[in-house]
């Protein structure tokens, strides 16, 4: 199952980037340069191709890396980290629970009142908080103090219906589940050592420390509310746990967002991982995966070489939303330079790295209007491109850019 998800992630991300490039090319206004633009486009498409035999090779390679990572810590590209989570929610839970999801440059706080198998989720509320850029480059204490302050502010808005449900737990200490997207090495279900900062964070300290202890200390410095971090999970494990709450058959969780990760329930654990149930959730850190079978293009090579971590997290750079918009920008920039895609000169904004967000690229890819109005708007808003002809029908474009997996 996990192998299939890896293969699907590679194919879908590649098709999205190529389709967006094709749609923009179809709006090219000088027919004399069409042939050269097509050559560049098809060259990129060919390099992206993921036929079935390629996907099988990738699946076999990732399976080998998974086993190597389980058998020996550090023996694989995949970290294969134990989470110490043996039991997943099943819908029978009752009471008031809080959650804090720290992923990317914002975090979300949530309260949820659960009513057991019949009522399930009675009520929930949440708030998304942007983290000031200065805190991404500051200290761990400054970061967690800010998070704790906003969490307490959120708790103060707790309505009476939540407070009644709070007594179902039999005590007045609010329990908090912490979901975090940074690589951590867990030593129990509610302790975890931070391995490294990712997601754009460049904090001077914190690596090698327990993230639960850092957050708990910050909350303890706030007065008036007792909060205990009851469990620590990776955001990928949280995704799987949420799915399992509604469906007992869910055994795999995958994140395909700014970055990418996966986890699953492992039933054949090495002897040195002790459990009561004989199984445990393992999260993989599969963004680090690399294989010679992955369809790496000249764009992927450029991105990797110019990144802050060349040679690291190859799969993530090919599929993560942090990079997909930039992949399309680079394809368009080459077309503009070598095939005069947008006129005799390359638009200035088209030369700016990461100016095309993946969100905007996704809008282009999803545009099904007959005249590709959304594509045209993105070109104008992002690159200040205003010289496009009426495009071909969207059905023709999609057919031209599709793949058979």
């Amino acid at each position: 199952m996990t192998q299939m998800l890896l293969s699907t992630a590679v194919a879908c991300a590649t098709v999205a980037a190529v389709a967006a490039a094709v749609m923009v090319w179809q709006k090219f206004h000088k027919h004399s340069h069409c042939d050269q633009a097509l050559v560049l486009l098809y060259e990129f498409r060919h390099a992206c191709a993921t036929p079935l035999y390629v996907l099988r090779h990738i699946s076999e390679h990732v399976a080998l890396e998974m086993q190597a990572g389980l058998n020996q810590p550090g023996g694989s590209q995949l970290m294969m980290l134990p989470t110490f989570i043996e039991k997943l929610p099943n819908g029978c839970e009752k009471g008031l629970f809080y959650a804090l999801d720290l992923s990317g440059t914002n975090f979300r706080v949530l309260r949820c009142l659960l009513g057991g198998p019949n009522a399930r989720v009675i009520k929930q509320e949440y708030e998304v908080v942007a983290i000031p850029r200065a805190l991404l480059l500051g200290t761990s204490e400054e970061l967690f103090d800010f998070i704790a302050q906003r969490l307490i502010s959120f708790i103060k808005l707790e309505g009476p219906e939540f407070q009644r449900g709070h007594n179902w737990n039999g005590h007045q200490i609010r329990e908090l589940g912490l979901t975090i997207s940074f690589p951590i090495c867990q030593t129990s279900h509610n302790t975890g050592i931070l391995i490294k900062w990712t997601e754009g964070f460049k904090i001077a300290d914190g690596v090698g420390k327990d993230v639960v202890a850092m957050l708990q200390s910050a909350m303890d410095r706030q007065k008036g509310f007792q909060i205990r971090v009851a469990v620590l999970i990776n955001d990928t494990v949280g995704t799987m746990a949420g799915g399992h709450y509604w469906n007992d058959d869910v055994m795999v969780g995958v994140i395909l967002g700014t970055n990418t990760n996966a986890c699953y329930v492992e039933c054949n654990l090495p002897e040195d991982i002790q459990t009561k149930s004989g199984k445990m959730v393992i999260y993989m850190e599969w963004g680090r995966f690399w294989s010679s079978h992955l369809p790496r293009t000249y764009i992927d090579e450029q991105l990797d070489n110019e990144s802050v971590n060349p040679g690291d997290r190859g799969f993530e750079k090919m599929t993560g939303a942090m990079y997909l918009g930039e992949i399309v920008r680079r394809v368009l920039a080459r077309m503009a330079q070598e095939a005069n895609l947008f006129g005799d000169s390359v638009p200035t904004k088209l030369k700016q790295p990461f100016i095309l967000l993946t969100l905007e690229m996704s809008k282009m890819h999803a545009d099904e209007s007959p005249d590709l109005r959304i594509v045209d708007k993105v070109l104008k808003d992002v690159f200040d491109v205003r010289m496009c002809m009426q495009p071909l029908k969207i059905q023709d474009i999609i057919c031209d850019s599709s793949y058979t997996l």
Side-chain angles (χ1 to χ4, degrees), residues 82-87 175-180 184-193 210-213 228-234 237 274 276 280-281 283:
T83 64
F84 299 89
I85 303 296
E86 300 183 39
K87 185 179 179 181
E175 292 192 337
L176 174 75
L178 174 60
T179 302
I180 198 163
I184 53 176
C185 180
Q186 289 196 234
T187 53
S188 74
H189 70 280
N190 63 352
T191 59
I193 305 302
D210 181 4
V211 291
V212 172
R228 181 179 71 91
V229 181
V231 65
L232 167 68
I233 55 176
N234 181 273
V237 180
Q274 301 298 317
K276 295 180 180 179
M280 182 182 293
V281 177
Y283 79 89

Side-chain angles (χ1 to χ4, degrees), residues 1-12 50-68 70 78 80 251-254 256 261-266 284 286 289 294 315 405:
M1 179 67 173
T2 305
Q3 300 169 32
M4 292 175 62
L5 288 166
L6 174 62
S7 302
T8 302
V10 175
C12 290
T50 52
L52 185 58
Y53 76 89
V54 171
L55 298 180
R56 284 174 174 163
H57 287 320
I58 296 171
S59 296
E60 291 167 0
H61 191 166
V62 75
L64 291 173
E65 291 290 338
M66 289 171 67
Q67 194 60 51
L70 283 174
L78 308 178
M80 303 302 292
M251 294 294 176
V252 176
V254 174
L256 292 172
N261 208 338
C263 70
Y264 68 103
V265 178
E266 177 62 67
M284 299 169 58
W286 78 358
F289 177 72
L294 286 171
F315 180 56
L405 301 183

Side-chain angles (χ1 to χ4, degrees), residues 73 121 308 375 382:
V121 179
V308 296
V375 174
V382 177

Side-chain angles (χ1 to χ4, degrees), residues 104-121:
T105 54
N106 57 48
F107 66 90
R108 184 172 67 161
V109 290
L110 174 145
R111 58 175 150 257
C112 188
L113 187 61
L114 302 180
N118 295 323
R120 292 288 177 132
V121 179

Side-chain angles (χ1 to χ4, degrees), residues 11 16 29 79 113 202 218 329 350 367 380:
H29 74 293
M79 290 186 177
L113 187 61
K202 294 183 179 179
R329 183 200 68 82
L350 188 58
D367 186 3
K380 292 177 180 178

